[in-house]
Amino acid sequence: MNQEKIITATIAFVKEELKNAEGGHDWFHIERVFKNAILISKEENVDVFVVSLAALLHDIADPKFHNGDETIGPKIANDFLKNQNVEPTIIKHVVDIINNISFKNSFENTKANFNSKELEVVQDADRLDAIGAIGIARCFNYGGFKNRALYDPEIIPNLNMTKEKYKNSSAPTINHFYEKLLLLKDKMNTTSGKKIAAERHLFMETFLKQFYEEWNGVK
């Protein structure tokens, strides 16, 4: 099994599959997560091949763009890797990561069902792309894609959501900072992930302070 050849084929496959994707969930998102995952892997005892495949395939069919269906992405990844003659144990590990990586799964105790160091690395890499400057850009890009309000002072963030309420939320974009983005710093798994997240978290807090000052005409 030529791992380098499989990674190259996976990159080409993902680029093609996501060529018309929404800007926050396109190939460039995948590329950033892939690079972050490799970076974090340098400080962790993990199978870098599994990490690479999972990072590249983790959003191959994001449920948000497939009527909430969480089975499509794992199936596409499974079928693709089978066609690449990847070992069954590796395929299973990659698919398990895809099934458990999402923030919405944190509303449930999914770690009781599956966990691995590779999942922790890819999950951190994915979450890092949801915070900081790029996280802010992605958040507003998706809000615009869904035609959501930027902010509504009368709609309070829901800090006690279930998985289903989170999936079906149509709240203003600013609410998403409190319902997800600002929570991610304390959900990081790895030492490297925690360090990078802390810096990006501070940037988001600075952004929100500026946002409210401008909204309220303070400056």
Side-chain angles (χ1 to χ4, degrees), residues 8-9 30 33 49-50 61-62 86-87 91 95 108 110 112-113 115 123 126 136 143 151 159 179 193 199 210 216:
T8 299
I30 302 299
V33 172
F49 184 53
V50 170
D62 189 309
V86 175
E87 295 173 8
I91 295 176
V95 171
E108 302 172 343
T110 56
N113 301 319
N115 192 30
Q123 191 172 59
D126 187 36
I136 292 170
Y151 173 54
L159 303 181
E179 295 167 352
E199 296 173 1
Q210 179 75 17
N216 294 314

Side-chain angles (χ1 to χ4, degrees), residues 183-197:
L183 305 177
L184 294 179
K185 175 176 71 71
D186 294 328
K187 291 182 177 291
M188 304 301 287
N189 304 297
T190 66
T191 301
S192 297
K194 290 174 182 177
K195 182 178 179 180
I196 300 169

Side-chain angles (χ1 to χ4, degrees), residues 19-35:
K19 64 183 179 182
N20 296 316
E22 178 266 334
H25 298 80
D26 57 3
W27 159 249
F28 295 110
H29 162 62
I30 302 299
E31 184 179 43
R32 292 189 301 269
V33 172
F34 176 55
K35 289 178 178 178

Side-chain angles (χ1 to χ4, degrees), residues 97-109:
I97 290 172
I98 295 170
N99 274 321
N100 289 274
I101 190 174
S102 178
F103 171 78
K104 64 181 175 293
N105 289 327
S106 66
F107 295 107
E108 302 172 343
N109 187 21

Side-chain angles (χ1 to χ4, degrees), residues 7-22:
I7 294 296
T8 299
T10 306
I11 289 172
F13 173 71
V14 175
K15 280 185 176 180
E16 178 63 24
E17 287 290 304
L18 299 182
K19 64 183 179 182
N20 296 316
E22 178 266 334

